[in-house]
Amino acid sequence: MNQSWVAFLPLFVKAAGITIWLSWLALMIGAFGGTLIALMRTSRFLPLRLVALLYTEFFRSIPILIVLFFAYFGVPLVLGIDLPPFAAATCALALHASSTMSEVVRAGIESVGKGQWEAAHASGMRYPAIMRYVVGPQAIRVILPPSVGVYVATLKESSLASIIGYIELTKTGLLVRESTGGGFAPLLVLAVIYFLINYAISLGGAALERRFDVGQKFLTVGAGQ
Amino acid sequence: MTGPILEIDTLVKRFGSRTILDGLTMSVHPGEVVCFVGPSGTGKSTLLRCVNGLEDIQGGEIRFEGEKVEARSKRIVAVRKRIGMIFQQFNLYPHLTALENVVLAPVVVHGEARKEVEARARVLFEKVRLSHRIDAYPAQMSGGEQQRVAIARSLAANPHLLMFDEPTSALDPETVGDVLAVMRDLALEGRTMLVVTHEIRFAADVGTRMVFMDQGRIVEDRPPRDMLADPSTERAKRFLSSIQG
């Protein structure tokens, strides 16, 4: 019985992959949803702004675990459809990520000065073109750094999925710990793996930022207020 | 005999309870260079912004080439396509090179082929004397250079009317002359221009009309030399003598 955790290392690696995939999927859905919410939030139509505000405040204010329980236990009760643990976890994480991302994207859009909108409007551009060619490319520089943080946060939060029995990284660690006699080592391995993944993401994010930073050309005063 | 390109009839613009433009009426014919002067806060810039619908209006009517200007209408885009605007703060797109700044609207708004627009843009850069800065980003350029790119940008869509909103007010004194020289060339080409400016000498040399505004109204509207030589109102006389030093 008292097997070494080393034998389970391939299992850890596989589980790490699952965790990365789960949180990446949640982040992508969250970024897409968050962008929609942010566009509503910055719209000139009051009802859209209100709906977006409500959505953001709602999902920011309740624990992800509660959302997870709602998705896993509540949805079958209300809608009569069973969500598998993976789907429930993805939903809960994506809902939460979208509320965070909506604020990140909103800050990015609002960082672009009024003069940019006016110049674009004056040239005859409409909203979609302005977003795509003028405001979006400038906003992305502001959006990118905190987005990396949101990914890291989502990845850590994905460990909550272990509670509804989804076998991701944390759950794998706990199972290994049980079958190896409850030692301390598997927990340490978990911590190290989470650290390595998130540190890699941070490094990757920094590289991405450098790529999107068109030199210093961008920030200097006088260029675009 | 051509009709006016721009007709403004008893225009009223308010911000909240403050009246900025107070029943202003004027028309502009093709080829005219109208220079707006007067104390700040008298609605000169706001007037330009009403003409291309950047501001909505509370009363009266604006017609550009016979078409009613309505800020909130979808058809405002058709008006804006034919009016070029130059801002005090340049408002170049900082993430695009000078060339890309000029090319963007003709390609995106007018649906022109990029190649053709680029060729035309190069000619425009010659005209504003910036051929050597074509690949620079706005933040790498001086204010005067940026403003000349902004002029090239507004010309790229072949506008029928050019509006300059204090184009040299944000510039270092030594770069003002370059921008004014380009504007002078445009006037000599016979372009129709509305210019809000404090450069009285430029207005006198280049303008065909000088409009003195105060408190949202037109106080005087005459050929610049006449007005400068002999302002017919006390208000204009005081302002012009103060600004000429």
Side-chain angles (χ1 to χ4, degrees), chain A residues 116 118 121 133 217 225, chain B residues 49 80 91-92 95 137 139:
Chain A
Q116 295 288 304
E118 290 188 343
H121 273 305
Y133 297 106
K217 295 154 200 160
Q225 304 77 15
Chain B
R49 297 164 57 84
R80 286 172 176 164
N91 295 343
L92 291 184
H95 59 299
Y137 283 87

Side-chain angles (χ1 to χ4, degrees), chain B residues 35-110:
Chain B
C35 293
F36 294 86
V37 296
S40 41
T42 54
K44 305 181 299 289
S45 296
T46 307
L47 175 61
L48 297 194
R49 297 164 57 84
C50 289
V51 168
N52 69 352
L54 286 183
E55 302 284 354
D56 57 356
I57 62 179
Q58 277 67 53
E61 191 178 83
I62 302 173
R63 285 185 173 277
F64 176 71
E65 298 189 322
E67 196 171 338
K68 198 169 166 191
V69 176
E70 289 170 296
R72 299 203 179 270
S73 151
K74 279 203 188 309
R75 296 211 316 276
I76 189 66
V77 168
V79 170
R80 286 172 176 164
K81 279 180 174 180
R82 286 175 277 146
I83 300 180
M85 188 163 189
I86 289 93
F87 299 85
Q88 182 177 359
Q89 296 292 339
F90 333 131
N91 295 343
L92 291 184
Y93 308 129
H95 59 299
L96 301 178
T97 62
L99 180 66
E100 289 166 334
N101 263 278
V102 173
V103 166
L104 184 63
V107 170
V108 169
V109 178
H110 299 253

Side-chain angles (χ1 to χ4, degrees), chain A residues 22-136:
Chain A
L22 169 66
S23 42
W24 176 253
L25 195 62
L27 179 80
M28 285 299 108
I29 298 170
F32 183 76
T35 302
L36 284 182
I37 299 291
L39 293 179
M40 289 166 68
R41 206 50 212 284
T42 52
S43 143
R44 56 191 175 99
F45 302 108
L46 184 65
L48 287 184
R49 287 206 302 274
L50 282 179
V51 170
L53 179 73
L54 224 64
Y55 178 94
T56 305
E57 290 305 322
F58 183 77
F59 283 107
R60 271 208 314 193
S61 308
I62 47 177
I64 300 173
L65 189 56
I66 306 295
V67 183
L68 186 60
F69 284 162
F70 264 99
Y72 191 60
F73 301 116
V75 168
L77 286 177
V78 178
L79 298 179
I81 38 169
D82 273 339
L83 282 186
F86 176 75
T90 307
C91 281
L93 291 171
L95 283 171
H96 192 263
S98 68
S99 67
T100 317
M101 281 306 293
S102 78
E103 288 296 274
V104 170
V105 174
R106 179 170 73 104
I109 292 172
E110 287 176 351
S111 75
V112 179
K114 209 174 103 229
Q116 295 288 304
W117 286 93
E118 290 188 343
H121 273 305
S123 74
M125 291 169 87
R126 295 178 200 271
Y127 182 86
I130 297 175
M131 268 299 167
R132 179 165 166 203
Y133 297 106
V134 176
V135 173

Side-chain angles (χ1 to χ4, degrees), chain A residues 2 17 32 37 58 67-68 94 102 122 124 131 162-163 165 170 183 189 191 194 213 219:
Chain A
N2 226 332
F32 183 76
I37 299 291
F58 183 77
V67 183
L68 186 60
S102 78
M131 268 299 167
S162 63
I163 294 171
T170 298
V189 173
Y194 273 113
D213 185 26
L219 268 186

Side-chain angles (χ1 to χ4, degrees), chain B residues 132-196:
Chain B
H132 57 297
R133 301 295 269 149
I134 220 159
D135 292 318
Y137 283 87
Q140 298 169 322
M141 291 186 270
S142 74
E145 288 176 327
Q146 288 190 54
Q147 193 60 298
R148 283 182 282 152
V149 174
I151 292 174
R153 177 173 69 174
S154 74
L155 291 172
N158 298 320
H160 301 176
L161 173 69
L162 288 172
M163 302 199 297
F164 296 82
D165 184 7
E166 301 205 24
T168 57
S169 298
L171 298 179
D172 295 331
E174 63 264 33
T175 65
V176 168
D178 297 338
V179 172
L180 292 181
V182 168
M183 289 169 64
R184 186 180 311 254
D185 292 349
L186 295 173
L188 290 175
E189 281 176 15
R191 301 224 179 223
T192 314
M193 296 161 62
L194 307 183
V195 185
V196 173

